[in-house]
Amino acid sequence: MASSVVAAWEDCDKIDTLFILVCTVICWTIVPTVGIAYSGYTWRRNSLTAALPAVLVISICSIQWFVLGYSLAYGPGNGWFFGSWTAHLFHRDVLSSPVGTIPAILFSEFQLVFEATVCAIAVGGFVERGTIKSCAVFIASWSTFIYCPLAHMVWGGGVLGEELGVLDFAGGTPVHVCSGATATAISLYLSYPLFRSKKSPLRTPTHIRLHRPGNSFFQLVSMIIIWGSWLAFDAGTALALNFQSVMALCVTNLCAASGALTWSVMTFLESGKWSLDATFMGAIAGLVMITPSAGFIDMPTAFFFGVFGAVVCRQALRIKFTKLAHKWRWVDNGDTFATHCVGGVAATVMTGLFARREVAAYGGLDVPGGVVFDGNVRQLWVQIVEVLVGFSWSFFGSWLIIAGIDCIPGLEVLAVDKHIHEGLDFHETEESLGVLVHPEEEDYTPTDKGTIALD
């Protein structure tokens, strides 16, 4: 057994293996940093409970992926929606056999980063209203029944990738549309619960008042880490150190930069002040826009992708400020719908328009390209189908999961009114980050029931 493992290891390319190993380590930092970003968005008394789910994601997804997730997403078989339930159960036979030019176990670990990243973004729907214990159960269920099948459909030999031929380099739909649709489903269920949360006399589904970001320094740190780590995220998706991976890194940085500058300048022109929050949101919009196309577009196209993404996502963000949003209890406190869902849809469709066969060939890929440069009109419709399938699978599947969890005694998904009003950190966790808020918000409470004094 040992000799066969060593022999298979000898067949792997050591430079490619080292490259993906480094990318995996760098990309892992994205997962907890998403929690830090949500912590920066939220009211100071919810800051720790906003960050903690991302930490839970690291543990729960790592175990789920080891036990079953990898087999479901990338196991052998010709299933449209699942790989195999048993082939790689408990990572059986996932050792040094090459996947491309790297060991299977390293390929698995790199793909685990994708699942954990998507999950960390998705659970932003729980921010400021959801309970952590129900979130933990949701993470395990969602990663198994929502993410793994969708990853298989797009990348693991399933219906979207193998049968339709979607172009999705690093996850426009499995990463961004999936996480955005999931967070939206969670948020809507918390606004309109059906089961135990609705029947509880201690819980009143309501809208959460808008507020300034609770900690801009957390946003700054998050922007620095996510921006830098996403370069490795997209470059590593090539699974080899070749010119496609180099191009993926470069177009990712340029798209994030043009998105950040566009959003911040638009905010400055409106308010006359520079905003770190605007810069952060623009960078995220740019990273979302480039994800599905990072291996398929050139530098000038990437620049305009960033500008377009910032404009579109900024307009989508305005929804939560409307009277209609308040009336219908629309809560997007992590801005996940505006950036990841809307941006992911735009990015996936734009890939069908502007993907270039020539650029894909930098990594040895033979793809038909998109509409503008290669005249492949069919690709646009393929990308639209991918978006529709990905959104529907993620939104409705996530809604069913959270509704099912809400039926279990003790796992009510909506926090009680008192906890939401006083801040979840004081009731859901042993600690609190204890961050001071902006002076204008000293009297802020999410449900407008008067001031509190717990410090």
Side-chain angles (χ1 to χ4, degrees):
M1 178 63 180
S3 60
S4 63
V5 172
V6 173
W9 165 248
E10 293 301 323
D11 292 334
C12 297
D13 186 287
K14 303 307 183 292
I15 294 178
D16 290 346
T17 299
L18 177 61
F19 174 62
I20 302 304
L21 186 67
V22 172
C23 287
T24 302
V25 173
I26 294 173
C27 290
W28 255 124
T29 61
I30 297 173
V31 183
T33 304
V34 170
I36 297 173
Y38 284 144
S39 182
Y41 281 130
T42 58
W43 181 36
R44 59 169 178 153
R45 299 181 189 276
N46 294 324
S47 57
L48 188 57
T49 48
L52 191 56
V55 179
L56 292 175
V57 163
I58 295 175
S59 299
I60 296 172
C61 284
S62 293
I63 296 170
Q64 182 271 349
W65 191 255
F66 159 71
V67 174
L68 181 62
Y70 177 72
S71 190
L72 288 178
Y74 293 100
N78 297 319
W80 277 14
F81 305 105
F82 296 96
S84 171
W85 289 87
T86 59
H88 296 311
L89 197 66
F90 291 96
H91 260 52
R92 184 176 59 203
D93 298 328
V94 183
L95 290 169
S96 59
S97 299
V99 175
T101 60
I102 65 175
I105 196 166
L106 179 58
F107 172 78
S108 170
E109 195 71 12
F110 187 65
Q111 296 306 320
L112 165 60
V113 173
F114 279 68
E115 178 184 79
T117 299
V118 181
C119 192
I121 298 169
V123 294
F126 283 93
V127 166
E128 303 200 279
R129 294 190 297 171
T131 59
I132 292 180
K133 57 187 176 182
S134 64
C135 180
V137 177
F138 179 86
I139 291 168
S141 305
W142 177 91
S143 57
T144 301
F145 297 108
I146 303 300
Y147 177 79
C148 288
L150 190 56
H152 177 77
M153 281 188 258
V154 176
W155 296 317
V159 60
L160 295 177
E162 192 70 22
E163 300 295 329
L164 287 182
V166 300
L167 294 180
D168 202 329
F169 187 71
T173 295
V175 175
H176 297 300
V177 175
C178 179
S179 60
T182 298
T184 302
I186 295 170
S187 181
L188 286 176
Y189 187 84
L190 292 176
S191 293
Y192 297 96
L194 294 181
F195 301 108
R196 296 187 64 86
S197 292
K198 180 180 181 180
K199 297 175 182 178
S200 170
L202 301 177
R203 296 170 170 84
T204 307
T206 185
H207 183 262
I208 295 292
R209 291 173 57 207
L210 298 177
H211 55 76
R212 297 171 61 92
N215 191 310
S216 295
F217 180 72
F218 285 0
Q219 290 183 295
L220 176 61
V221 170
S222 300
M223 181 179 68
I224 293 169
I225 296 175
I226 292 174
W227 189 332
S229 299
W230 213 271
L231 304 183
F233 191 89
D234 285 350
T237 300
L239 298 178
L241 184 57
N242 53 34
F243 191 64
Q244 185 182 48
S245 65
V246 174
M247 275 294 293
L249 182 149
C250 294
V251 296
T252 298
N253 180 65
L254 181 60
C255 194
S258 61
L261 187 60
T262 299
W263 197 311
S264 61
V265 169
M266 290 174 68
T267 300
F268 175 78
L269 293 176
E270 282 188 4
S271 67
K273 295 182 180 180
W274 294 99
S275 168
L276 175 62
D277 181 55
T279 306
F280 177 46
M281 294 299 296
I284 294 299
L287 293 174
V288 170
M289 283 299 300
I290 198 61
T291 302
S293 59
F296 307 130
I297 65 173
D298 56 17
M299 294 287 280
T301 307
F303 171 80
F304 289 108
F305 266 39
V307 174
F308 179 78
V311 172
V312 170
C313 293
R314 193 169 187 270
Q315 291 304 112
L317 189 66
R318 295 182 184 274
I319 295 174
K320 74 175 188 178
F321 295 98
T322 63
K323 292 182 179 179
L324 188 63
H326 185 276
K327 177 181 178 181
W328 292 100
R329 305 177 202 162
W330 173 261
V331 178
D332 188 25
N333 280 4
D335 297 332
T336 317
F337 172 80
T339 52
H340 294 280
C341 190
V342 174
V345 169
T348 302
V349 174
M350 293 281 282
T351 300
L353 289 171
F354 294 97
R356 298 187 65 170
R357 187 172 187 174
E358 176 188 354
V359 176
Y362 294 160
L365 301 179
D366 184 15
V367 302
V371 176
V372 175
F373 295 107
D374 297 293
N376 180 23
V377 178
R378 176 183 179 274
Q379 195 63 48
L380 176 61
W381 300 109
V382 168
Q383 300 299 109
I384 292 174
V385 170
E386 181 192 12
V387 164
L388 293 174
V389 171
F391 180 88
S392 300
W393 182 275
S394 304
F395 180 86
F396 294 108
S398 299
W399 191 92
L400 289 173
I401 289 174
I402 193 170
I405 294 172
D406 197 35
C407 294
I408 303 173
L411 289 181
E412 291 83 359
V413 296
L414 182 64
V416 301
D417 295 348
K418 175 181 172 64
H419 297 178
I420 294 175
H421 176 67
E422 295 178 349
L424 297 180
D425 284 2
F426 293 99
H427 300 279
E428 291 272 324
T429 65
E430 287 283 349
E431 306 87 7
S432 176
L433 295 179
V435 180
L436 293 177
V437 296
H438 190 276
E440 295 176 2
E441 292 191 351
E442 287 294 344
D443 295 330
Y444 171 84
T445 56
T447 53
D448 204 15
K449 292 183 179 179
T451 60
I452 54 179
L454 294 180
D455 286 336

